[in-house]
Amino acid sequence: MAFTPAVLSRRRLLQLGVGAGAGLLAACRSAAGPELLLAEADLPAAWLKQLPAPWRTRQLADAAAVQKAMRELGERPAPGLVALSDGWASGLSRQQLQPFEAPRLWARLAAFSAPVARLFAPVGEAQLAFPWAYSPWVIALRSRPDLAARRQEGWQLLLDPSLRGRLVLPSSPRISLEIMGGDFERLERLRAQALAYDDRDGLNLLLSGDAEAAVLPLQRLIPLLRRDQRLAVIWPDSGAPLSWQLLLRPAGAASSVPPPLEWLGAVLEQPLLEGLLARGLVPPLPQADLAPVARRFPAAMAALLLPGDALLGRCWSLPPLSLPQQLAQQNLWDAAAPRP
């Protein structure tokens, strides 16, 4: 029987073409450079635009999705860098990370960032995180000049009877425990004041007038201070807990392309530095290095961006808690709940 060549239809040719194109695209993706994994809006856009080739970004919906992706690294190649806050990073084990090995970059940072760079390991351990910005938890007041005038009272202001049912506290009980010094009586009084426990939408409750005070990260407030004269911010003289923005280097990340150290360092310098401060994110640089840029802002903002070494020395970061510590804090928190 004579062989008759098969005739390919136009549709079949197109299907073959699409399949070949998809294969080429997959090949290109697999050959692409190392990946920076982050949640949407976690890093300034101007900084991300400077990320050098062959690096690329992959953005997920939120920090929870980023942490989940880190826990499932066996299903895909490890990213070269991961952006997380210290609270989310504490959910990762040290075995999931590798050192940056960039002592010159870390030497530019102020000493109070060193424990965070080690992820609170003992002195001498490797630096597993680049702590590129911090933000203190502060008191935000709306249309309460009487309370703002008593700023020297610090965290005690939150217990003023006029704030009962008008105060928004953080979602994390740990922050409330920290600012009350773990004191049961004060914590019980604080919980009786609360309208809500919601740092994500707490600012909206404050701006709408449903609340008159809130405990929020400074970075949420700095962009508003120029345009909302009703707001006052108090960074208590006794100090405040600090939250941190970190970049981490996962274990198993391709070693053929080293971390983009020049890009990392760019966020500590102009022109990126001024934009970072305008968003309320403060790199942990020595105060003398920050001063020329911070003083370009209005005086009230500059005082918050440049608080001085003495106040920073009274602030503290939040290392991960052991299981017994978590249980003890939870028991204290539950016991301090308002009674019906």
Side-chain angles (χ1 to χ4, degrees):
M1 179 183 294
F3 174 74
T4 304
V7 178
L8 294 176
S9 67
R10 182 173 180 272
R11 176 178 294 181
R12 181 60 180 154
L13 284 169
L14 288 173
Q15 288 173 341
L16 289 172
V18 169
L24 285 172
L25 181 58
C28 289
R29 285 178 177 166
S30 65
E35 189 176 72
L36 166 58
L37 181 64
L38 70 158
E40 292 181 8
D42 261 10
L43 269 67
W47 192 23
L48 281 177
K49 287 179 182 177
Q50 295 186 15
L51 187 67
W55 285 81
R56 58 201 171 95
T57 61
R58 179 162 67 101
Q59 297 192 21
L60 302 181
D62 53 31
V66 173
Q67 189 191 66
K68 181 181 178 183
M70 280 290 292
R71 289 174 173 169
E72 298 172 350
L73 284 183
E75 300 177 10
R76 61 180 297 156
L81 288 173
V82 173
L84 280 173
S85 68
D86 56 334
W88 287 101
S90 66
L92 304 176
S93 69
R94 298 181 67 83
Q95 289 69 36
Q96 290 178 276
L97 304 170
Q98 63 176 309
F100 278 82
E101 298 176 353
R104 290 185 180 179
L105 178 59
W106 270 253
R108 298 176 59 184
L109 305 182
F112 73 95
S113 70
V116 185
R118 299 191 304 271
L119 294 182
F120 304 101
V123 174
E125 291 291 318
Q127 294 154 329
L128 299 178
F130 175 50
W132 59 272
Y134 74 90
S135 183
W137 290 85
V138 295
I139 301 170
L141 300 172
R142 178 190 182 273
S143 302
R144 290 300 305 264
D146 57 323
L147 293 181
R150 292 161 48 195
R151 62 177 56 243
Q152 73 279 0
E153 296 179 30
W155 298 114
Q156 191 71 16
L157 273 180
L158 300 178
L159 305 182
D160 189 276
S162 67
L163 290 178
R164 191 176 184 91
R166 307 286 284 169
L167 170 66
V168 179
L169 292 172
S171 306
S172 168
R174 186 177 184 185
I175 303 300
S176 295
L177 284 158
E178 292 280 343
I179 63 179
M180 292 292 106
D183 181 271
F184 176 76
E185 182 182 353
R186 295 178 72 213
L187 183 64
E188 192 174 34
R189 291 173 60 193
L190 182 73
R191 293 206 63 182
Q193 301 280 75
L195 167 68
Y197 300 94
D198 191 344
D199 43 74
R200 174 170 291 188
D201 292 320
L203 186 56
N204 292 333
L205 291 171
L206 191 69
L207 296 177
S208 67
D210 294 316
E212 293 179 350
V215 177
L216 295 167
L218 178 63
Q219 69 187 75
R220 302 281 304 281
L221 298 162
I222 286 290
L224 294 174
L225 289 179
R226 276 181 167 166
R227 60 179 186 268
D228 195 330
Q229 301 302 312
R230 302 168 302 173
L231 291 178
V233 174
I234 298 173
W235 184 338
D237 286 340
S238 59
L242 303 177
S243 62
W244 290 86
Q245 300 298 321
L246 310 176
L247 281 163
L248 309 160
R249 193 180 182 206
S255 58
S256 58
V257 179
L261 298 181
E262 186 174 344
W263 176 78
L264 293 174
V267 79
L268 308 177
E269 304 169 351
Q270 287 285 60
L272 291 177
L273 180 55
E274 187 167 350
L276 202 67
L277 295 179
R279 292 183 55 181
L281 290 164
V282 185
L285 288 166
Q287 295 283 280
D289 294 352
L290 282 173
V293 183
R295 288 173 182 156
R296 298 180 184 181
F297 293 86
M301 291 175 62
L304 293 167
L305 297 170
L306 198 70
D309 290 324
L311 177 51
L312 282 172
R314 294 189 290 272
C315 293
W316 63 96
S317 301
L318 301 175
L321 297 174
S322 66
L323 183 57
Q325 289 172 324
Q326 293 177 43
L327 292 174
Q329 285 204 354
Q330 188 64 55
N331 289 336
L332 181 60
W333 180 253
D334 293 341
R339 293 171 177 79

